[in-house]
């Protein structure tokens, strides 16, 4: 258990990073910090594999399998994600 805002890893310690549909739970205003943290823990030349839902509006779920829930999936445009990754120092 942890936070993408403060990974419990040393600088430049990873040869790659997989964020498969995990950033969809991060609010838009926190994405620059998450991507900066990814950059911090990745070794030079390392790769990021990032999966996310494409869209313009969040998806809000209030029920699943008969249970009441409160879950938001932040959907984003690939061009915006690419811009944020570049701004964080990732190619």
């Amino acid at each position: 258990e942890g936070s993408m805002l403060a990974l419990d890893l040393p600088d430049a310690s990873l040869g790659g990073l997989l964020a498969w549909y995990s950033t969809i739970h991060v609010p838009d205003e926190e994405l620059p910090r998450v991507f900066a943290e990814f950059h911090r823990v990745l070794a030079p030349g390392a790769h990021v594999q990032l999966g996310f839902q494409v869209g313009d509006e969040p998806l809000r779920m209030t029920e699943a399998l008969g249970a009441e829930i409160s879950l938001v999936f932040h959907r984003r445009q690939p061009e915006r994600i690419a811009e944020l990754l570049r701004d964080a120092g990732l190619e």
Side-chain angles (χ1 to χ4, degrees), residues 3 6 10 17-18 24 28 39 41 53 75 85:
S3 170
L17 189 146
L18 174 65
I24 65 171
D28 289 340
H39 182 262
V41 300
Q53 296 176 340
R75 299 184 281 185
L85 290 167

Side-chain angles (χ1 to χ4, degrees), residues 22-43:
S22 52
T23 60
I24 65 171
H25 303 291
V26 176
D28 289 340
E29 62 273 10
E30 296 291 351
L31 275 182
R33 286 183 53 209
V34 168
F35 294 158
E37 187 67 354
F38 288 0
H39 182 262
R40 181 189 69 78
V41 300
L42 286 166

